[in-house]
């Protein structure tokens, strides 16, 4: 029996051992899902202590040792793909992982890369490494790329009723060859209802870029309109509600405090970088990034101007920030506009406290700060409240009633007119 046939049978009978490398937002959910579906599972992470606490299932074997790769039939890489300071792709996590685990790879295994990256990554960083080991991809080793679309809301226990889970979100899969794709398709059908087969690795890699570029550009569009319409005294939200009644050819996006997370501010610049290397200027990506950063500064300037103009006496020079997660109902603070606003205010000599039902503490300039519980007495201490993240768990009635001045970046408070500013 050849390697492909052996693996096919193992996957079909759920006898294959699935090893997920990188147990962050994406990897931990994948590992749990494969385990739930009856596969033997191994989880590998270099920061094992940090990730361990989110697993209470004893059946999942967790380790920081790459040698366990040799026990796996399927290896899924869910490693970070951040940007360097100069906005260029940082693929060092994939590089260093491949170089550490290479010696434990063996014939008959399937590797799937799930990290978001520019087209050509799977070929350059995975396929080339496998070839160096003298594997014959499609014959004695198998390779697929399957971009992740996981909703970050999955991580938050309170959001039980989320619409899209791993299971009902169609999953794209591309193979190094048809044989590889067939195995990838079989594998992922165990954790999702729909696997969309991509004809090429590059198309699948690019599709992930496009999904995030689409969001970044549309968010930038409504944010730019918000800044302009504010200047000429037109309510952007009313305008967007009206436009949104068109039943075709229009997709709604809401303006906000900027963008955050590990995807939208980052992934588009992977493609931007590639285009630049090929002497092509992807203007939308760059402009969208600039606008989505500009709106965060614009909001901060509005707050600072107001404090100065109205000669607001801040107690301990602090404002109250509501929400430091980058979007609602999640606990992820990466690239969060709430924290960017906090840093910008701090530079202007204004400090902050924060409240976030999903983020208990943050590290701010090396100092640990804890989330405050919202109550009537708390609002007395902060003349200025800045609402950055529209979590479901916030008590908006209380906020609306007790906050002295509100700067609402999400158009969430509907019953206040006095001392209320939509920004
Ligand atoms: N977070 C999301 O919602 C989301 C959604 C879709 C796609 N993605 C993409 O998925 C990938 C993973 O994202 P994430 O949010 O899970 O990242 P993350 O930072 O939350 O987790 C990555 C994990 O990998 C571990 N790690 C780093 N180097 C390692 C190595 N050499 N060996 C083993 N473990 C290592 C880290 O310790 C960390 O626990 C990224 O490419 C991201 O763009 C993320």
């Amino acid at each position: 029996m050849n390697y492909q046939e052996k693996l096919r049978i193992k996957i079909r009978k759920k006898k294959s051992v699935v090893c997920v490398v990188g147990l962050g937002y994406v990897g931990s959910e994948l590992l749990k899902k494969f385990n739930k579906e009856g596969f033997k599972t191994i989880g590998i992470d270099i920061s094992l202590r940090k990730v361990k606490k989110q697993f209470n299932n004893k059946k999942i074997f967790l380790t920081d040792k790459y040698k366990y790769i040799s026990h796996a039939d399927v290896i899924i890489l869910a490693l970070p793909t951040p940007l360097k300071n100069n906005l260029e792709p940082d693929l060092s996590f994939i590089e260093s992982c491949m170089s550490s685990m290479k010696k434990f790879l063996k014939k008959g295994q399937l590797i799937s890369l799930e990290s978001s990256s520019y087209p050509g990554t799977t070929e350059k960083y995975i396929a080339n490494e496998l070839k160096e080991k003298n594997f014959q991809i499609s014959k004695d080793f198998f390779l697929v790329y399957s971009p992740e679309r996981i909703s970050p809301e999955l991580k938050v226990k309170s959001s039980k009723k989320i619409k899209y889970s791993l299971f009902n979100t169609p999953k794209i899969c591309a193979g190094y060859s048809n044989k590889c794709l067939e195995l990838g398709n079989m594998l992922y059908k165990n954790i999702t209802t729909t696997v969309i087969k991509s004809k090429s690795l590059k198309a699948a890699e690019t599709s992930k870029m496009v999904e995030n570029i689409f969001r970044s550009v549309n968010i930038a569009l409504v944010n730019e309109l918000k800044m302009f319409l504010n200047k000429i005294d037109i309510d952007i939200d009313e305008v967007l509600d009206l436009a949104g009644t068109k039943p075709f050819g229009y997709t709604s996006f809401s303006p906000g405090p900027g963008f955050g997370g590990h995807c939208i501010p980052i992934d588009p610049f992977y493609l931007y970088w590639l285009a630049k290397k090929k002497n092509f200027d992807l203007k939308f990506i760059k402009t969208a990034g600039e606008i989505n950063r500009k709106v965060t500064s614009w909001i901060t300037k509005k707050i600072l101007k107001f404090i100065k103009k109205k000669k607001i006496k801040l107690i301990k020079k602090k404002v109250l920030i509501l929400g430091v997660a980058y979007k609602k109902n999640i606990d992820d603070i990466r690239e969060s506009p709430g924290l960017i606003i906090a840093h910008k205010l701090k530079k202007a000599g204004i400090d902050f406290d924060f409240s976030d039902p999903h983020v208990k503490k943050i590290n701010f300039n090396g100092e640990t700060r804890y989330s405050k519980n919202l109550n009537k007495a708390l609002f007395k201490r902060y003349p200025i409240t800045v609402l950055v993240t529209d979590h479901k768990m916030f008590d908006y009635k209380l906020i609306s009633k007790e906050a002295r001045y509100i700067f609402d970046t999400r158009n969430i408070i509907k019953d206040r007119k006095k001392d209320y500013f939509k920004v």
Side-chain angles (χ1 to χ4, degrees):
M1 207 187 299
N2 63 31
Y3 287 108
Q4 188 200 9
E5 189 54 30
K6 267 193 212 158
L7 198 49
R8 193 190 281 139
I9 293 170
K10 271 190 174 177
I11 294 173
R12 194 173 55 230
K13 293 188 172 169
K14 297 193 178 183
K15 295 267 187 236
S16 52
V17 177
V18 177
C19 173
V20 179
V21 186
L23 305 176
Y25 279 80
V26 168
S28 59
E29 294 306 322
L30 283 169
L31 189 60
K32 286 178 199 165
K33 185 69 181 152
F34 274 107
N35 185 268
K36 202 172 154 203
E37 293 308 320
F39 288 85
K40 277 205 181 116
T41 42
I42 300 173
I44 300 183
D45 199 292
I46 45 168
S47 306
L48 192 62
R49 214 186 298 155
K50 194 185 77 193
V51 299
K52 220 172 182 170
K53 48 187 181 279
Q54 53 188 325
F55 292 94
N56 48 16
N57 184 341
K58 297 237 158 50
K59 280 196 230 150
I60 300 179
F61 176 69
L62 300 170
T63 178
D64 53 7
K65 306 221 165 22
Y66 284 114
K67 67 175 183 189
Y68 290 99
I69 290 280
S70 60
H71 296 267
D73 300 295
V74 174
I75 301 148
I76 296 177
L77 304 181
L79 296 158
T81 45
L83 287 173
K84 294 181 196 159
N85 286 340
N86 60 3
L87 296 186
E88 288 189 0
D90 175 3
L91 290 163
S92 60
F93 293 92
I94 295 180
E95 256 178 319
S96 92
C97 175
M98 278 307 285
S99 91
S100 312
M101 71 177 200
K102 209 162 137 185
K103 64 174 179 235
F104 302 111
L105 295 173
K106 57 174 199 197
K107 286 185 180 173
Q109 292 177 318
L110 164 70
I111 282 198
S112 172
L113 177 65
E114 293 223 9
S115 303
S116 315
S117 188
Y118 60 82
T121 302
T122 313
E123 179 84 42
K124 183 171 168 196
Y125 290 87
I126 316 284
N128 286 348
E129 292 290 310
L130 297 174
K131 284 176 198 163
E132 267 190 27
K133 255 203 94 149
N134 286 329
F135 286 136
Q136 287 180 279
I137 310 175
S138 308
K139 205 167 166 204
D140 58 19
F141 207 98
F142 304 91
L143 172 62
V144 297
Y145 176 76
S146 181
E148 187 48 64
R149 286 170 160 169
I150 200 164
S151 161
E153 277 191 77
L154 264 183
K155 289 279 291 181
V156 173
K157 286 196 188 84
S158 61
S159 52
K160 278 179 191 137
K161 283 190 197 142
I162 64 156
K163 206 168 161 192
Y164 293 107
S165 64
L166 265 182
F167 193 62
N168 63 2
T169 307
K171 191 152 180 44
I172 289 172
C173 185
Y176 183 87
S177 64
N178 282 341
K179 283 183 180 168
C180 294
L181 178 57
E182 195 213 317
L183 288 171
N185 181 38
M186 269 187 82
L187 175 76
Y188 283 116
K189 275 197 168 158
N190 287 289
I191 61 158
T192 180
T193 43
T194 319
V195 178
I196 317 270
K197 291 187 199 168
S198 161
K199 284 194 198 108
S200 76
L201 292 168
K202 283 185 178 165
E205 290 164 329
T206 315
S207 73
K208 179 67 195 176
M209 303 282 100
V210 170
E211 287 169 22
N212 287 329
I213 292 164
F214 177 80
R215 285 193 67 75
S216 178
V217 167
N218 280 287
I219 292 169
L221 176 65
V222 288
N223 277 337
E224 188 174 51
L225 289 172
K226 162 166 101 170
M227 292 185 276
F228 171 61
L229 294 183
N230 180 282
K231 200 178 166 93
I232 59 168
D233 226 2
I234 293 174
D235 183 349
I236 174 85
D237 298 294
E238 192 188 350
V239 171
L240 295 179
D241 283 349
L242 292 171
T245 59
K246 187 179 177 195
F248 54 90
Y250 185 84
T251 306
S252 292
F253 279 83
S254 305
F259 59 3
H262 194 342
C263 293
I264 297 170
I266 292 169
D267 295 355
F269 285 92
Y270 268 63
L271 201 67
Y272 179 78
W273 168 85
L274 182 68
K276 213 168 141 196
K277 260 182 50 161
K278 309 268 176 203
N279 290 322
F280 196 98
D281 187 17
L282 283 173
K283 291 197 177 67
F284 272 107
I285 294 176
K286 188 157 175 260
T287 306
E290 282 166 2
I291 293 169
N292 285 328
R293 284 186 189 92
K294 180 176 162 186
V295 74
T296 319
S297 303
W298 180 82
I299 290 165
T300 316
K301 278 184 201 149
K302 289 242 166 220
I303 299 165
L304 288 170
K305 211 167 149 189
F306 180 80
I307 293 173
K308 203 170 163 200
K309 196 173 159 204
K310 293 272 178 185
K311 299 195 172 89
I312 307 285
K313 289 210 171 62
L314 297 173
I315 302 163
K316 292 188 181 167
K317 284 208 136 192
K318 282 181 176 177
V319 301
L320 180 64
I321 292 180
L322 301 184
V324 289
Y326 79 86
K327 71 174 192 177
K328 66 178 172 185
N329 311 331
I330 66 166
D331 59 1
D332 191 343
I333 59 167
R334 293 176 296 184
E335 316 269 326
S336 154
L339 292 177
I340 297 170
I341 291 173
H343 279 285
K344 287 184 186 295
L345 288 173
K346 188 90 182 157
K347 264 196 182 160
I350 289 179
D351 206 344
F352 76 101
D353 278 322
F354 79 96
S355 177
D356 192 309
H358 299 296
V359 183
K360 283 203 188 90
K361 59 179 182 181
I362 57 167
N363 182 309
F364 188 80
N365 291 343
E367 171 200 337
T368 307
R369 296 190 180 207
Y370 294 89
S371 171
K372 306 267 178 202
N373 286 333
L374 289 191
N375 53 52
K376 193 173 169 181
L378 185 85
F379 285 105
K380 300 260 179 289
R381 306 216 296 267
Y382 308 92
I384 305 272
T385 298
V386 187
L387 206 159
V388 185
T389 318
D390 46 347
H391 291 307
K392 257 190 227 154
M393 279 175 79
F394 276 136
D395 181 347
Y396 291 105
K397 268 195 187 143
L398 177 81
I399 298 168
S400 173
K401 193 159 167 247
E402 303 301 338
R404 175 70 187 92
Y405 295 106
I406 305 181
F407 286 81
D408 179 359
T409 70
R410 299 281 187 177
N411 183 33
I412 185 95
I413 306 274
K414 307 282 185 190
D415 57 352
R416 265 277 292 262
K417 291 234 159 64
K418 195 165 176 287
D419 300 335
Y420 169 79
F421 309 98
K422 248 203 287 183
V423 284

Coordinates of all heavy atoms in Angstrom, one line a residue, residues 8 90 141 337 340:
R8 N -4.9 7.9 3.8 CA -6.3 8.1 3.5 C -7.1 7.2 4.4 O -8.1 7.6 5.0 CB -6.5 7.6 2.0 CG -7.9 8.0 1.5 CD -8.2 7.4 0.2 NE -7.5 8.0 -0.9 CZ -7.0 7.4 -2.0 NH1 -6.9 6.1 -2.0 NH2 -6.5 8.1 -3.0
D90 N 7.1 39.2 8.5 CA 8.0 38.5 9.4 C 7.7 37.0 9.5 O 6.7 36.6 10.2 CB 7.9 39.1 10.8 CG 8.8 38.4 11.9 OD1 9.5 37.5 11.5 OD2 8.7 38.8 13.0
F141 N 5.3 12.3 0.9 CA 5.0 13.3 1.9 C 3.9 14.2 1.3 O 3.9 14.3 0.0 CB 6.2 14.2 2.2 CG 6.2 14.8 3.6 CD1 6.8 14.2 4.7 CD2 5.4 15.9 3.8 CE1 6.7 14.7 6.0 CE2 5.3 16.5 5.1 CZ 6.0 15.9 6.2
P337 N -7.2 49.7 19.1 CA -7.3 51.2 19.1 C -7.5 51.8 20.5 O -7.0 52.9 20.7 CB -8.6 51.4 18.3 CG -8.9 50.2 17.6 CD -8.3 49.1 18.4
I340 N -4.1 52.3 21.7 CA -3.4 53.3 20.9 C -3.9 54.7 21.4 O -3.0 55.6 21.6 CB -3.6 53.1 19.4 CG1 -3.0 51.7 18.9 CG2 -3.0 54.2 18.6 CD1 -3.4 51.3 17.6

